[in-house]
Amino acid sequence: MTPEYITKTLPSNFDEMVAAMLRCEQTKGQSVYQHGQSVCKYFLHLLDHINGGYSLDGWKLPDWFAGYADDLVSNIHDESIIREYTLYHDCGKPFCESDGRFPNHVEASTYVWSLVGGNEIVRRLIANDMVFHTATAEEIKHKMENEWSIKDACTLYLAALSEIHSNAKMFGGIESQSFKIKWKQLERRGKQICKHYFGILEVLK
């Protein structure tokens, strides 16, 4: 039975899903597919920066980030998984759209991705795409101890950090109050997962 949050005709295959993403406007002048492309690009730029090959102009990274960057990158999913996840993480938005909004878009995206036969690891990442943006410390602790692999946690965190920078202009820039609120949440939750998996650096004591 089709979930109640699905408001549009579902795709019968992968190509129909992509076509719907291209037609659906995420924000003015940017389709859902283009948003995925942007998040993917930002994620790869972040990896390049950590590996010493790209200057991150216009980014705001936590003070503790440099100390854990190599650990984070050493524990993420393969690049093919990252590309697929970041590009298609909002694949359900065209099918749950209502008056320009996307209620239950994570559930819709998880459902649609499974419907078209998408990769299971990517499905799990899509299902947790908003966790770092919204979860409490206790919720993150539960995820790390019971649901996530270390690769899931590190990939999801770097994707969340990439996404808020991809969307920064929409928020009003990295100095806007909206961006700062979202960034502060990620600063705290990122520190939490790094302490959990990699121990406490001097800067965090």
Side-chain angles (χ1 to χ4, degrees):
M1 191 169 82
T2 303
E4 62 181 14
Y5 50 76
I6 298 295
T7 60
K8 305 290 191 300
T9 302
L10 287 164
S12 60
N13 55 54
F14 190 87
D15 289 343
E16 287 185 5
M17 180 193 78
V18 173
M21 292 175 69
L22 286 163
R23 291 193 302 268
C24 182
E25 194 170 63
Q26 163 99 358
T27 57
K28 189 172 179 58
Q30 184 186 60
S31 70
V32 171
Y33 188 85
Q34 288 171 324
H35 165 67
Q37 286 181 311
S38 179
V39 175
C40 182
K41 180 183 76 172
Y42 273 76
F43 197 123
L44 296 178
H45 283 177
L46 179 58
L47 297 186
D48 201 13
H49 167 73
I50 293 169
N51 291 324
Y54 193 89
S55 176
L56 287 182
D57 294 332
W59 281 66
K60 177 179 172 64
L61 295 174
D63 291 341
W64 53 261
F65 188 85
Y68 284 114
D70 289 340
D71 289 317
L72 286 165
V73 168
S74 296
N75 290 282
I76 57 177
H77 285 289
D78 293 342
E79 186 174 315
S80 60
I81 294 292
I82 290 168
R83 286 178 178 273
E84 215 170 5
Y85 157 50
T86 52
L87 182 56
Y88 299 114
H89 71 278
D90 280 341
C91 64
K93 281 187 173 180
F95 309 102
C96 67
E97 187 274 333
S98 178
D99 296 324
R101 301 177 69 84
F102 307 102
N104 300 104
H105 78 272
V106 171
E107 293 84 354
S109 297
T110 307
Y111 182 82
V112 168
W113 185 253
S114 296
L115 186 68
V116 301
N119 178 285
E120 173 58 25
I121 296 174
V122 175
R123 186 207 66 79
R124 188 168 68 244
L125 295 172
I126 289 173
N128 287 276
D129 183 62
M130 290 298 293
V131 171
F132 275 113
H133 297 290
T134 61
T136 64
E138 282 303 309
E139 289 167 339
I140 295 292
K141 182 174 183 290
H142 176 83
K143 291 278 188 182
M144 291 190 294
E145 292 178 351
N146 299 282
E147 299 180 22
W148 288 346
S149 68
I150 187 173
K151 286 188 175 183
D152 291 343
C154 294
T155 301
L156 287 164
Y157 180 70
L158 293 182
L161 199 58
S162 299
E163 182 158 24
I164 66 163
H165 285 88
S166 171
N167 291 339
K169 287 184 180 179
M170 180 178 69
F171 301 143
I174 64 173
E175 296 303 322
S176 68
Q177 191 62 27
S178 179
F179 178 89
K180 288 178 179 178
I181 291 170
K182 297 175 190 301
W183 184 90
K184 189 62 178 176
Q185 164 75 4
L186 294 185
E187 192 272 339
R188 291 169 176 162
R189 299 289 76 84
K191 184 188 296 185
Q192 180 185 357
I193 68 161
C194 287
K195 288 169 66 176
H196 177 86
Y197 289 117
F198 311 124
I200 302 175
L201 290 180
E202 185 67 30
V203 70
L204 297 184
K205 290 181 180 179

